[in-house]
Amino acid sequence: MSTRDDQPSESANAGGEQVVTPWDVAGGADGKIDYAKLVNEFGCSTIDDALIARIEKVTGCRAHPFLRRGMFFAHRELDQIVTAYEKGEKFYLYTGRGPSSEALHLGHLIPFHFTRWLQEAFKVPLVIQLTDDEKFLWKSLKLEDARRLARENAKDIIACGFDPRRTFIFSDVNYMCTPFYLNVLKIAKCVTFNQARGIFGFSGESNIGQVGFPPTQAAPAFPDCFPHLFGTDKKSLRCLIPCAIDQDPYFRMTRDAAPRIGGYKPALIESRFFPALKGESGKMSASDPTSAIYVTDTPKQIKDKVNKYAFSGGRLTVEEHREKGGDLEVDISWKWLNFFMDDDDKLRTIGEAYGSGAMLSGEIKKELVECLTPMIVAHQEARAKVSDAVVDQFFSTAPRDFDSMFGELVGDAPAPSEGPVSFQGGENLVASNAPVPAVAGGEGNEGDDAGAAAAGGDQPLSKSELKRIAKEKQIAEKKAAKAAEKAAKAAAAAQ
Ligand code: TYM
């Protein structure tokens, strides 16, 4: 079994049993993932044409290629999100990244490209969690490095084209504020060690930070973790989580805990894995640069890697190839084109030509290089524009106006403001116009399940308390700003 380094794709498991956890992905004896078996074991559902048609109808947008070509193939209660949306209910999106490497590979881009499409189609807010704590606990990575990588990876995520007006990005280490931690604790109390062992495969060798981590990834599925965006009501919004299917265990656990802490069960939309360059049973690894294409690769590197390493379904000789045709089942260029070539007609023509032998292996590789190069160059250009101030803009916990994050956005996003930004979310930084929780004990607080009482209830602050605290905070912030200014002047004078 392979540890999902930076990473992951599929690798054959010596024992022959496939393993898919958030940290290890290994195919069965043939190295391939049996997705039908996975859906069955995990208990999620597959996405059918009728559900895709409903999404197209309600959003008025043609389904993204990842959806219409079955890359995002499984779900949990996506139909319920769509039904709620059809009735005019709002929801938010939640996704994430474990910052364990400097550069993302193409597989990592899949959920972010798709999430951007979902955000634009449904016109809803999005929160992106960077689990620097998770990577510190699982990798031989210094905490300081994990935190730095969180900001570096955020730049690549922002380069995927998210709008800061309705996107909030946070690192767990920075954002472990009261409302977030309240949810972490309540979820943690709902899960026994035996359950966690069953879901995640923890053993006596797991460090206790790992054992305690899953509630941290679960909590952002509840909107009151983000009072500055969504207010303090745990049921102000439903949540939809796009991810690859390896993250399912986290959210199975979250969905079990949800009613017990008074929240909606989050819905999920889950993808297959983007295969490694050297073949479906290989592994994309940061330690082997020839195993994957990274967002930092140059056009020459892309061309060389595809030509040298992309596993080919071509035949041994040109004659044999012309006679039998390329094997689309194993050909990586063909599989990757299915992810990244937008044009359905062109893709079909390539598939027919290659499958019939009219197109040779070198020619389909050329098509792939021509498809990937402009996409990666555009990514690099977009990333170069992501300054630290832009990152701060996405990380800012300044309270937003709730309604402004939904529906059509007019004009361009404002330029990021100069100066330091607070990364400390707090229960007193509440969005304006956000839904207000019903009185304690009613809907929107802990449910009436016995487990709710065990998990502990929220006591929302009154409006005047909130005002008073906000005022105090304002004064404290002004004082801090003055002190910082004074210190900066003193430092300048001392030079
Ligand atoms: P991470 O950093 O391992 O992966 C980030 C996202 O990319 C998906 N992914 C892939 N998708 C397709 N093909 C691949 N080969 C491939 N490899 C990775 C992952 O499923 C994930 O969606 N613990 C998480 C971070 C996280 C998160 C979340 C992810 C925190 N909250 C909410 C999804 C949703 C992690 O380490 O992801």
Side-chain angles (χ1 to χ4, degrees), residues 74-269:
H75 77 104
R76 289 179 187 269
E77 289 189 355
L78 175 63
D79 48 338
Q80 292 197 22
I81 285 273
V82 176
T83 304
Y85 190 78
E86 282 164 348
K87 290 185 190 146
E89 230 187 87
K90 297 177 164 88
F91 70 91
Y92 73 105
L93 293 161
Y94 157 41
T95 194
R97 154 84 182 142
S100 56
S101 61
E102 298 283 343
L104 306 193
H105 59 57
L106 291 184
H108 292 130
L109 289 187
I110 305 290
F112 293 106
H113 280 198
F114 187 63
T115 302
R116 180 186 163 187
W117 178 81
L118 284 172
Q119 187 182 34
E120 284 177 1
F122 285 99
K123 304 180 174 58
V124 289
L126 160 69
V127 297
I128 301 176
Q129 177 181 43
L130 301 170
T131 50
D132 38 12
D133 47 357
E134 181 191 22
K135 293 302 148 179
F136 167 66
L137 292 168
W138 262 272
K139 305 276 169 200
S140 55
L141 197 62
K142 283 191 198 148
L143 190 50
E144 293 69 24
D145 286 333
R147 297 184 70 192
R148 182 181 61 74
L149 291 175
R151 266 184 89 85
E152 285 308 304
N153 287 185
K155 292 180 185 169
D156 279 305
I157 293 169
I158 293 166
C160 293
F162 296 104
D163 192 310
R165 285 172 289 181
R166 50 178 163 213
T167 306
F168 173 57
I169 306 181
F170 63 100
S171 108
D172 284 343
V173 172
N174 283 343
Y175 187 69
M176 194 45 77
C177 56
T178 306
F180 186 13
Y181 191 51
L182 285 173
N183 279 306
V184 170
L185 282 178
K186 288 176 192 175
I187 297 161
K189 196 167 179 179
C190 292
V191 188
T192 65
F193 177 60
N194 279 341
Q195 287 168 328
R197 196 165 45 182
I199 302 170
F200 299 103
F202 292 135
S203 70
E205 301 307 308
S206 310
N207 71 55
I208 59 173
Q210 294 173 334
V211 176
F213 172 75
T216 304
Q217 181 152 333
F222 302 100
D224 58 334
C225 282
F226 311 103
H228 63 293
L229 304 173
F230 307 137
T232 55
D233 183 356
K234 203 182 289 303
K235 281 192 166 171
S236 62
L237 289 172
R238 289 175 192 274
C239 174
L240 172 63
I241 306 173
C243 56
I245 197 160
D246 60 329
Q247 303 295 313
D248 188 84
Y250 280 122
F251 301 118
R252 236 181 297 151
M253 183 199 81
T254 314
R255 286 168 53 82
D256 279 349
R260 299 179 62 194
I261 69 163
Y264 290 122
K265 289 183 177 193
L268 286 146
I269 180 161

Side-chain angles (χ1 to χ4, degrees), residues 130 151 154 168-171 391-397 422-423:
L130 301 170
R151 266 184 89 85
F168 173 57
I169 306 181
F170 63 100
S171 108
V391 176
D392 286 350
Q393 190 180 22
F394 280 88
F395 279 56
S396 165
T397 55
S422 161
F423 297 133

Side-chain angles (χ1 to χ4, degrees), residues 309-332:
Y309 304 110
F311 190 84
S312 171
R315 308 292 169 177
L316 284 179
T317 61
V318 173
E319 293 69 37
E320 191 192 346
H321 187 88
R322 295 275 187 228
E323 188 193 322
K324 294 187 179 156
D327 185 351
L328 299 182
E329 279 300 304
V330 298
D331 194 277
I332 287 297

Side-chain angles (χ1 to χ4, degrees), residues 361-426:
S361 177
E363 290 167 328
I364 195 168
K365 287 189 173 192
K366 187 163 173 276
E367 291 288 352
L368 179 63
V369 171
E370 281 170 9
C371 169
L372 293 182
T373 308
M375 183 183 91
I376 293 174
V377 168
H379 180 93
Q380 291 167 358
E381 283 168 3
R383 193 193 195 274
K385 291 191 191 129
V386 182
S387 61
D388 274 326
V390 170
V391 176
D392 286 350
Q393 190 180 22
F394 280 88
F395 279 56
S396 165
T397 55
R400 323 261 177 122
D401 177 68
F402 183 79
D403 294 324
S404 72
M405 293 180 293
F406 300 87
E408 217 61 67
L409 294 177
V410 183
D412 293 333
S417 54
E418 293 300 320
V421 186
S422 161
F423 297 133
Q424 298 295 311

